[in-house]
Amino acid sequence: MRALSLQSEFSRNVEPNSQIIVWEPVPDLCTPEYRQQMLETARYIHVISPNSEELVGFFKDLEFPSLSCRMKIQLLASKIVDSGIAPSNGGAIVVRAGPDGCLIMCKKKDPLWLPAYYESTEVDGNNHPNVVDPTGGGNTFIGGLGVALVRSGGNVRLAAAFATVAASFAIEQIGIPVLEGYDASSEELWNGVKVMDRMNEYLQRIKGLGICLE
């Protein structure tokens, strides 16, 4: 896979312990034909983050008719974890599941589901009214995940929470979020909101659900 060659090239130019590699598989290659290559590549990166459809695509030749959507995602993610993620098998998979949030799994901790910042409405299951266009939400999640992994010292659960909040700004409008106050004399706002205010609100919400990010 192209990801494996890029990882090898990148590793030659940086210190081995100074890199964190987050891999988002190419959607067109998320098929059973590329499953073995995906599993082999996952052993050389730190975090793999497919969305739920991409994850299922790797295993669509298998059938699990009696499982709920969440249980199916968790079972398939466990196959990747069991195969090994990162050279020391200390990596993680973060599955992005849209309004259902994300699943974080690794070898040493129990599976954890984080809610989406904007969850589906309870009445009819439709998108939250603040979700205008989900385009770019996944890419923003990946970017936020990578930055937060570095800033948090590799805490993938906390990084996924930051990524969830980052993605929330990308889906509130068509196009990119509105940035204000990007000079030194004013406070930075995205869509009129302080990022850390939203982050702290989200952290309080998941704390109320009994979710631990350690």
Side-chain angles (χ1 to χ4, degrees):
M1 273 188 165
R2 175 64 173 158
L4 190 55
S5 64
L6 287 173
Q7 186 275 340
S8 178
E9 180 181 344
F10 183 69
S11 297
R12 290 196 295 268
N13 299 308
V14 298
E15 293 295 327
N17 296 324
S18 66
Q19 55 180 296
I20 295 178
I21 300 176
V22 179
W23 178 36
E24 178 186 15
V26 177
D28 291 347
L29 302 183
C30 295
T31 64
E33 291 77 15
Y34 287 96
R35 181 166 67 219
Q36 188 56 40
Q37 291 185 48
M38 175 272 293
L39 294 173
E40 292 171 3
T41 301
R43 298 175 190 137
Y44 293 89
I45 52 91
H46 300 92
V47 178
I48 178 172
S49 184
N51 65 31
S52 55
E53 292 182 1
E54 292 160 354
L55 174 65
V56 171
F58 281 118
F59 299 93
K60 66 181 180 182
D61 56 328
L62 308 179
E63 295 185 5
F64 307 96
S66 61
L67 295 180
S68 67
C69 182
R70 278 199 172 197
M71 289 304 297
K72 183 177 181 180
I73 290 171
Q74 200 161 307
L75 174 62
L76 298 181
S78 71
K79 292 181 179 296
I80 299 176
V81 172
D82 291 343
S83 174
I85 303 173
S88 62
N89 202 12
I93 180 170
V94 180
V95 184
R96 295 166 282 119
D100 292 323
C102 67
L103 168 68
I104 304 112
M105 288 189 71
C106 60
K107 199 73 172 178
K108 297 180 180 180
K109 294 184 178 180
D110 292 334
L112 176 68
W113 280 92
L114 289 181
Y117 185 81
Y118 290 125
E119 300 179 83
S120 298
T121 59
E122 295 183 2
V123 176
D124 53 17
N126 289 329
N127 282 339
H128 190 283
N130 286 4
V131 177
V132 175
D133 181 7
T135 304
N139 297 107
T140 307
F141 185 102
I142 293 291
L145 182 67
V147 171
L149 278 169
V150 174
R151 292 186 175 182
S152 68
N155 183 335
V156 69
R157 290 182 166 191
L158 181 59
F162 270 93
T164 297
V165 171
S168 72
F169 288 98
I171 61 179
E172 292 176 332
Q173 67 288 306
I174 296 174
I176 63 175
V178 176
L179 172 61
E180 304 171 61
Y182 45 84
D183 56 54
S185 63
S186 56
E187 194 159 20
E188 183 176 295
L189 301 175
W190 289 90
N191 291 348
V193 178
K194 299 176 186 177
V195 173
M196 287 311 300
D197 283 355
R198 181 171 292 186
M199 181 65 198
N200 290 330
E201 180 270 317
Y202 181 72
L203 290 176
Q204 287 300 312
R205 189 198 310 174
I206 61 177
K207 182 180 179 180
L209 296 173
I211 295 174
C212 177
L213 298 180
E214 296 300 323

